[in-house]
Amino acid sequence: MHLHAFFLSGSCDATVVWDHVTQIFQATEQIKICARRVLAGYVIPIVKIKNNIYHSSDRHLSLFSSWEKNIYFIRSPALPLRTNMAGHNEIDEGFYSRQLYVLGHDAMHRMGSAKVLIAGLRGLGVEIAKNVILSGVKSVTVQDEGRTEWSDLSSQFFLQECHLGQNRATCSLPHLAALNPHVLVSEHTGPLNKDLVLQHQVVVLTDSSLEDQKRFGDLCHLNRIQFIVADTKGLCGQLFCDFGEEFEVMDPDGETPVSLMIDRITKDNPGVVLCTDDQKHGLSDGSKVIFSEVQGMTELNTMGPVEIKVCGQYSFSICDTSAFSDYERGGVVTEVKQPLKLQFKPLSEALRDHQLLIPNDYGKIARHNTLHLAFQALHSFVKQQQRLPHSWSQADADHLVAIVRELNEAAQLEELDEAAVRSLSYTARGDLAPLNAFFGGVAAQEVIKACSGKFTPLQQWLYFDALECLPEDEQQSSRYDGQIPVFGSEFQEKLGSQKYFLVGAGAIGCELLKNFALIGLGAGEDGHITVTDMDFIERSNLNRQFLFRSKDIGKPKSEVAAKAVCEMNPQVNITAHQNRLDSDSEGVYSYDFFMALDGVAAALDNVDARVYLDGRCVQHQRPMLEGGTLGCKGHTLVVVPHLTESYGPAKTGSGHDIPLCTLKNFPHRIEHTLQWARDQFEGLYKQTPENVNLFLSDPKFVERTLTHGDTEALEILEGVWRSLQDMGAGGQHPKSWEDCVNWARCKWESLYSNDIHQLLHCFPPGEVTTNGLPFWSGTKRCPHPLTFDPDNSTHMDYVLAAANLYGQIYGIKGTRDRTKVRAILENVKVPSFIPESSVKIHLTDNEMEEERKKEVKARLDELKRKLSSMKGSSQMYPLDFEKDDDTNFHVDYIVAASNLRAENYDIPPADRHQSKRIAGRIIPAIATTTAAVAGLMCLELFKLVQSHKKISSYRTAYLNLAVQYFVLSQPSRPQRFEVSSGSTQPTAGLVFKFCFSN
């Protein structure tokens, strides 16, 4: 095997890497010394045999000029070489940010040691390789003996016309290696063999013969190597997984374990647990749970996982509790995920077992059973004829049907879909980018499962077809030779003349643009694509928005994406905009603009934007493709004017709003404390400084503020006055870094000690309601005040972050030196606190609002007088919360503030990773789901371009790659309304929506 590219990840040791390289190349000692110097400077090497130069800009290249120019370097300034003290590779959380919320740290660490072999690098193979490399395995070897053909260009996005006649793996390697600097990528241009297979933990075969599938499948099964087969032919595809005799799944579904507050527990056989009614438990029979913080029936707190049986939405039964102590109050029940052990059959056996077929489109069960035989028959046809069936050849179709009938003598299928067999024969020479994108995403997700032990693998066959993309009526070499055999040259010309509007150039947007370029959308003389996205590229985008590289960080997404797809297909006509799509941009995206379009594709990250775009499409009678993802979950929707239901209006209220009184006084979940911490950040470091600046610049600020209502006006003006008044005069305006630390320490005391003392003064731990029931019960957790301890890291984390942020809004430079901060704290005098009997704690939001109205009038008059003399003060510097910068103290503050409040209320704390996701409202995302969703969207695009009139031709899709859940169904028809004596079918309607990532 020749190693053509060698990427050094940020967690590798330079000496180990170079020792491995020299074993292959037998480098001289002088070259070893030079290379060690380069590696010590955090340079990533690419090693290349012969004289093909991938990158020659590095200043150290001259050191190697004597060694036939075989070694070249790409600098990676953001990736220092490091291992942690335990010897484990560290995870680059900036790069893998959104994926980590899908997989978790443990699964990512397991993936970091996995070696993957992908055989075959046509369109499907490169899709799988792209997704696997982005996911972050240890190494990927791509194997392909073949040379680039015209037909490859319709789906292999790393191949161009200049590569015709050259090895596919060799040409693709530098592009694949550039996707992820943490993954070692190599090539093998010889035949697939036993020695190569045995060097890897996961093997994926694409574009392979049935003989090879059986032979290497048996080899992998015998040697405990996870084995995957993926194949697409025209509009049909298959996927097979064999993970061995015993494969352990650590987490079957990836869902966050359920955690619930207990209302009461009965003494019975079995005992029944009743949960508080603020959320349904969501457990199922056989789930296992553990108990904590139960008062009274304390035996439960020390028990291991207990199996449950569901009684209702808020209750379930457990073990015999009749001999336990009496339940008093409180307690938390937490789901415990149980490992799952699975057995797989080798492919040679699984071929005969139709029970292993996983249905995905319930209108096509008979078809998919038939396809299982048809793909086997196709292998027999190729073995006999040494070719695939000719496109739309009746004779070849008859031959394939005959082979399938022969196979069915043994299989004994009750229903044989011979029409599907003929369609497979007619289109088998096709190599379609959208279908490869879908299967590439699904297959890569199976690789991730094999490497990580997370999520439930496919057991074991999956078939998928999009034959409804074919025309509803019967019916010179180019880069579209893989597509024309399916749809014909006339359809290809129609694709090229399309004018499409893509809104969003993020993860789904990148995948759509790639597919658009490969299929030739807008690539004709009259065709055009307009893409708009107002965002700029961030480092966290690189893991799933594969058109972007580290050199693009800070550039507009739409411009970089447009340039990238033009390199894939120079024929594409595309214009990039940086506009937000809303009412303000209707001058650009006007009536004339929409009426000139053939269709619209939505690659958006929020419901409101989708609803707005949907409304514009309905208004102008234009079809819309829509898709979204949430971790491993995804959905697609096609809106066809007058035929299908549209995306529809947004639902009022999310159902997840947290009552203000819960945030203020009665939190009981970590989500409550994190939202409280986020509100604290926004109020202290953003809203108040913004109000100060408005007060200083706008003479009408106070007058306008008073029109908002007395309660809101008091809060705003009080904050402005305190921020401008010096600390010595009773305000909170600091003059020095020491003042900032002083403020942070006093704020800590106020939030985590004084406020809790006051709450307990109003409602003591033994308080009972007018009904004689304990006040502190159910969702009301009885808090306790904290005592500041400089040796407690969370206490100091809060002071350090709060003081630095406070300094930033006043332009005062802070420090990260804890020793210096601790020295300042020794001189801080914290005012003593005495609870006030006149203070009233409000139990509901309405009660809180009514009480406030009585207190504010006098204080408002006083504030107006005080503020009139402060117009000459200095401007402040408001902070916008930025979750992806770990140096700015924003997330530091949120984590510390939330966990301290959680400690007040005995709520289990959240680590930084979890806190960042919840408080930053981060949507988990992974490249596999994105690729699959974009592929399904483009299959619907084929139907739109052909102007399919039958609603049965279209598909709405819901999928969850974590558990192999696929539901493809016919879209709903639009609602009908009676108008006068007739009826009409509006294009607007309401459909289910749950995916928000772009």
Side-chain angles (χ1 to χ4, degrees):
M1 181 182 75
H2 296 301
L3 187 68
H4 280 237
F6 197 103
F7 263 70
L8 180 63
S9 83
S11 57
C12 292
D13 179 81
T15 303
V16 173
V17 171
W18 186 249
D19 286 346
H20 183 70
V21 174
T22 54
Q23 288 176 15
I24 300 173
F25 293 98
Q26 299 179 348
T28 66
E29 190 62 32
Q30 182 180 4
I31 294 173
K32 289 182 186 179
I33 294 171
C34 293
R36 288 179 194 275
R37 290 174 181 166
V38 174
L39 292 169
Y42 307 152
V43 176
I44 295 178
I46 291 186
V47 182
K48 179 72 175 82
I49 300 297
K50 306 300 182 187
N51 293 319
N52 294 347
I53 298 176
Y54 291 157
H55 197 286
S56 59
S57 62
D58 194 273
R59 61 188 175 87
H60 296 282
L61 182 60
S62 60
L63 297 172
F64 300 92
S65 58
S66 61
W67 195 29
E68 297 183 358
K69 296 188 181 298
N70 286 338
I71 300 181
Y72 303 91
F73 296 88
I74 292 179
R75 185 175 303 282
S76 179
L79 298 172
L81 311 178
R82 64 188 188 277
T83 58
N84 61 25
M85 296 303 292
H88 300 298
N89 289 347
E90 296 178 11
I91 297 172
D92 184 345
E93 296 198 5
F95 185 83
Y96 293 115
S97 170
R98 303 309 186 260
Q99 180 177 294
L100 273 169
Y101 293 111
V102 181
L103 298 176
H105 286 77
D106 290 343
M108 284 290 296
H109 277 300
R110 289 192 289 271
M111 285 173 56
S113 62
K115 299 178 180 179
V116 180
L117 170 64
I118 299 172
L121 216 61
R122 293 181 183 271
L124 178 57
V126 78
E127 279 281 1
I128 298 172
K130 176 255 292 179
N131 294 328
V132 171
I133 291 167
L134 288 172
S135 74
V137 296
K138 180 178 182 178
S139 68
V140 172
T141 303
V142 290
Q143 180 273 338
D144 197 314
E145 297 179 80
R147 299 188 177 278
T148 305
E149 303 170 359
W150 276 104
S151 59
D152 292 323
L153 304 187
S154 65
S155 66
Q156 220 284 25
F157 43 84
F158 286 144
L159 296 179
Q160 300 175 0
E161 292 182 24
C162 61
H163 297 136
L164 292 170
Q166 300 179 43
N167 180 270
R168 284 188 287 260
T170 301
C171 296
S172 303
L173 190 64
H175 301 284
L176 290 169
L179 289 171
N180 189 345
H182 300 280
V183 178
L184 167 64
V185 185
S186 59
E187 65 162 335
H188 182 88
T189 58
L192 193 63
N193 57 59
K194 177 181 178 180
D195 291 340
L196 179 63
V197 167
L198 293 177
Q199 295 173 29
H200 298 84
Q201 283 79 54
V202 183
V203 172
V204 184
L205 299 192
T206 70
D207 194 32
S208 55
S209 68
L210 186 59
E211 287 75 14
D212 279 351
Q213 293 173 12
K214 290 179 179 179
R215 178 161 58 100
F216 291 112
D218 289 341
L219 175 66
C220 289
H221 192 87
L222 185 65
N223 289 276
R224 301 171 66 90
I225 296 170
Q226 280 74 58
F227 179 68
I228 298 170
V229 172
D231 196 10
T232 59
K233 291 290 186 289
L235 287 163
C236 302
Q238 70 170 173
L239 184 64
F240 171 79
C241 292
D242 170 17
F243 289 3
E245 292 290 339
E246 185 175 288
F247 182 80
E248 186 173 46
V249 179
M250 307 294 185
D251 181 353
D253 59 13
E255 299 292 335
T256 303
V258 174
S259 184
L260 305 155
M261 293 192 65
I262 298 169
D263 186 56
R264 62 185 185 277
I265 307 173
T266 65
K267 288 184 66 173
D268 209 340
N269 185 17
V272 175
V273 179
L274 291 96
C275 303
T276 57
D277 61 1
D278 69 320
Q279 63 178 129
K280 299 172 184 177
H281 60 63
L283 298 169
S284 56
D285 288 346
S287 297
K288 292 190 176 182
V289 298
I290 57 172
F291 293 84
S292 60
E293 303 178 39
V294 175
Q295 298 182 41
M297 198 178 283
T298 55
E299 295 90 340
L300 288 173
N301 293 332
T302 57
M303 293 181 65
V306 180
E307 188 170 318
I308 69 111
K309 185 174 182 180
V310 173
C311 300
Q313 294 180 333
Y314 302 96
S315 61
F316 53 85
S317 63
I318 50 173
C319 56
D320 183 358
T321 61
S322 57
F324 290 1
S325 307
D326 290 338
Y327 173 79
E328 293 177 8
R329 65 181 182 184
V332 177
V333 61
T334 304
E335 180 187 15
V336 178
K337 291 291 188 74
Q338 298 296 305
L340 178 66
K341 291 188 177 180
L342 302 174
Q343 288 185 319
F344 293 79
K345 293 182 178 181
L347 184 140
S348 53
E349 292 182 26
L351 278 170
R352 301 187 295 272
D353 192 345
H354 281 253
Q355 299 301 312
L356 298 177
L357 269 67
I358 306 297
N360 55 78
D361 189 331
Y362 290 93
K364 298 180 177 180
I365 293 177
R367 178 183 295 178
H368 292 164
N369 284 328
T370 301
L371 286 176
H372 184 61
L373 299 181
F375 268 82
Q376 297 174 57
L378 195 61
H379 286 293
S380 297
F381 184 101
V382 172
K383 187 175 181 179
Q384 295 171 17
Q385 305 293 326
Q386 296 298 301
R387 62 172 175 83
L388 285 167
H390 289 303
S391 299
W392 300 97
S393 166
Q394 188 65 45
D396 284 354
D398 290 341
H399 187 179
L400 192 66
V401 169
I403 300 175
V404 170
R405 288 173 179 165
E406 185 177 338
L407 290 172
N408 195 40
E409 291 179 5
Q412 293 294 302
L413 293 183
E414 293 182 5
E415 183 179 350
L416 199 63
D417 189 344
E418 293 189 0
V421 180
R422 293 185 182 279
S423 294
L424 174 64
S425 178
Y426 294 153
T427 62
R429 287 177 176 260
D431 189 17
L432 301 177
L435 197 71
N436 288 334
F438 172 71
F439 267 93
V442 177
Q445 188 71 34
E446 296 304 306
V447 174
I448 291 172
K449 295 173 185 177
C451 297
S452 68
K454 184 155 187 172
F455 307 132
T456 304
L458 172 69
Q459 297 176 271
Q460 292 184 257
W461 290 101
L462 174 72
Y463 286 89
F464 175 89
D465 77 88
L467 293 175
E468 63 274 3
C469 291
L470 291 172
E472 292 177 332
D473 300 320
E474 294 298 326
Q475 63 150 352
Q476 148 189 49
S477 291
S478 76
R479 65 178 301 117
Y480 308 113
D481 277 3
Q483 187 166 276
I484 290 175
V486 178
F487 297 109
S489 56
E490 184 178 340
F491 172 75
Q492 191 61 54
E493 292 177 7
K494 194 170 183 180
L495 265 177
S497 65
Q498 294 287 297
K499 295 180 178 63
Y500 253 76
F501 184 30
L502 172 61
V503 187
I508 290 178
C510 283
E511 290 286 343
L512 286 175
L513 282 172
K514 174 258 295 179
N515 290 339
F516 289 172
L518 293 173
I519 68 177
L521 185 76
E525 184 176 343
D526 299 324
H528 193 268
I529 297 171
T530 302
V531 56
T532 187
D533 194 311
M534 63 177 294
D535 287 341
F536 295 84
I537 298 166
E538 300 174 358
R539 189 159 182 266
S540 62
N541 300 146
L542 305 183
N543 173 242
R544 65 199 186 284
Q545 300 177 18
F546 88 107
L547 295 181
F548 308 144
R549 302 291 179 267
S550 57
K551 63 182 175 62
D552 300 319
I553 292 174
K555 298 178 182 178
K557 287 185 177 182
S558 58
E559 288 186 3
V560 175
K563 181 179 178 182
V565 296
C566 285
E567 292 175 358
M568 287 183 186
N569 184 354
Q571 298 172 2
V572 170
N573 305 306
I574 187 168
T575 301
H577 294 173
Q578 288 83 52
N579 300 319
R580 182 196 297 273
L581 191 77
D582 57 19
S583 56
D584 293 337
S585 62
E586 289 183 6
V588 178
Y589 308 117
S590 60
Y591 171 85
D592 291 338
F593 175 83
F594 271 91
M595 294 307 293
L597 297 173
D598 292 293
V600 174
L604 294 158
D605 61 359
N606 66 87
V607 169
D608 289 341
R610 286 174 164 95
V611 169
Y612 175 81
L613 180 58
D614 175 66
R616 298 282 282 164
C617 290
V618 168
Q619 178 185 358
H620 298 96
Q621 301 292 289
R622 290 295 174 263
M624 183 180 81
L625 295 164
E626 194 276 324
T629 70
L630 182 65
C632 292
K633 301 171 185 175
H635 89 281
T636 65
L637 171 73
V638 57
V639 179
V640 187
H642 304 294
L643 185 65
T644 71
E645 197 170 42
S646 78
Y647 189 81
K651 294 180 180 179
T652 57
S654 65
H656 299 292
D657 294 336
I658 304 170
L660 185 60
C661 60
T662 298
L663 292 178
K664 188 172 177 61
N665 296 312
F666 309 116
H668 53 272
R669 296 202 300 267
I670 196 66
E671 290 85 356
H672 300 161
T673 66
L674 282 164
Q675 183 59 54
W676 176 88
R678 179 68 187 271
D679 290 346
Q680 288 284 317
F681 181 97
E682 296 293 327
L684 293 171
Y685 307 118
K686 177 177 171 59
Q687 293 168 2
T688 298
E690 285 179 343
N691 289 333
V692 168
N693 291 346
L694 285 172
F695 166 74
L696 295 174
S697 61
D698 183 0
K700 301 274 190 184
F701 174 78
V702 174
E703 179 182 337
R704 193 172 59 254
T705 300
L706 291 172
T707 65
H708 295 172
D710 289 350
T711 301
E712 183 178 348
L714 176 62
E715 183 177 349
I716 293 172
L717 298 182
E718 186 90 54
V720 170
W721 177 78
R722 289 184 180 278
S723 298
L724 293 174
Q725 185 68 46
D726 290 345
M727 288 185 171
Q732 296 178 347
H733 192 297
K735 296 296 185 183
S736 64
W737 167 241
E738 288 75 13
D739 284 348
C740 295
V741 175
N742 190 318
W743 175 88
R745 172 64 183 89
C746 291
K747 195 68 177 176
W748 188 102
E749 195 71 18
S750 173
L751 294 174
Y752 305 111
S753 180
N754 299 348
D755 288 354
I756 303 301
H757 275 297
Q758 182 65 60
L759 180 59
L760 293 175
H761 177 76
C762 297
F763 298 105
E767 182 83 358
V768 295
T769 68
T770 55
N771 296 324
L773 299 175
F775 177 84
W776 294 108
S777 62
T779 58
K780 292 186 177 70
R781 302 174 71 95
C782 186
H784 64 275
L786 307 182
T787 301
F788 185 78
D789 179 2
D791 292 324
N792 185 305
S793 59
T794 308
H795 294 198
M796 284 296 290
D797 286 345
Y798 178 89
V799 172
L800 190 68
N804 272 280
L805 293 172
Y806 206 62
Q808 289 174 28
I809 63 176
Y810 284 99
I812 297 173
K813 185 178 180 180
T815 180
R816 289 184 175 273
D817 191 327
R818 288 175 177 254
T819 303
K820 292 181 179 179
V821 173
R822 187 161 181 159
I824 297 171
L825 287 174
E826 292 176 358
N827 298 314
V828 173
K829 291 186 173 21
V830 179
S832 57
F833 176 76
I834 301 175
E836 298 179 22
S837 298
S838 61
V839 171
K840 183 175 181 181
I841 302 296
H842 307 291
L843 303 181
T844 67
D845 289 0
N846 287 337
E847 183 182 315
M848 184 184 303
E849 183 65 24
E850 287 299 319
E851 188 67 24
R852 290 278 289 175
K853 291 178 180 178
K854 303 174 184 178
E855 304 170 354
V856 299
K857 279 290 185 184
R859 181 59 179 159
L860 277 175
D861 291 338
E862 181 183 1
L863 283 171
K864 283 190 287 185
R865 290 195 303 271
K866 289 182 176 181
L867 287 170
S868 62
S869 62
M870 292 183 167
K871 285 291 187 179
S873 303
S874 299
Q875 292 267 325
M876 294 180 67
Y877 306 94
L879 303 178
D880 288 312
F881 183 73
E882 173 48 62
K883 57 187 175 290
D884 289 320
D885 181 355
D886 288 332
T887 67
N888 62 10
F889 292 101
H890 294 195
V891 175
D892 296 325
Y893 176 85
I894 296 294
V895 175
S898 171
N899 284 340
L900 286 169
R901 188 159 176 83
E903 186 180 352
N904 278 139
Y905 286 86
D906 293 316
I907 298 169
D911 61 21
R912 182 185 181 87
H913 186 65
Q914 182 186 5
S915 299
K916 183 177 176 180
R917 177 184 65 81
I918 298 171
R921 303 179 181 97
I922 293 174
I923 300 168
I926 191 168
T928 50
T929 316
T930 303
V933 163
L936 290 174
M937 290 173 70
C938 287
L939 290 173
E940 299 304 304
L941 173 66
F942 285 149
K943 305 167 189 178
L944 290 174
V945 173
Q946 296 177 84
S947 301
H948 279 6
K949 303 300 183 185
K950 298 176 182 177
I951 195 170
S952 59
S953 296
Y954 295 95
R955 289 293 182 272
T956 295
Y958 297 95
L959 55 94
N960 184 349
L961 299 187
V963 293
Q964 286 302 330
Y965 173 82
F966 299 94
V967 175
L968 288 95
S969 60
Q970 181 177 299
S972 300
R973 291 189 179 276
Q975 299 177 29
R976 299 180 67 94
F977 297 95
E978 291 294 327
V979 179
S980 299
S981 60
S983 66
T984 183
Q985 288 191 166
T987 57
L990 182 65
V991 296
F992 179 59
K993 39 193 174 287
F994 67 95
C995 300
F996 306 106
S997 176
N998 67 342

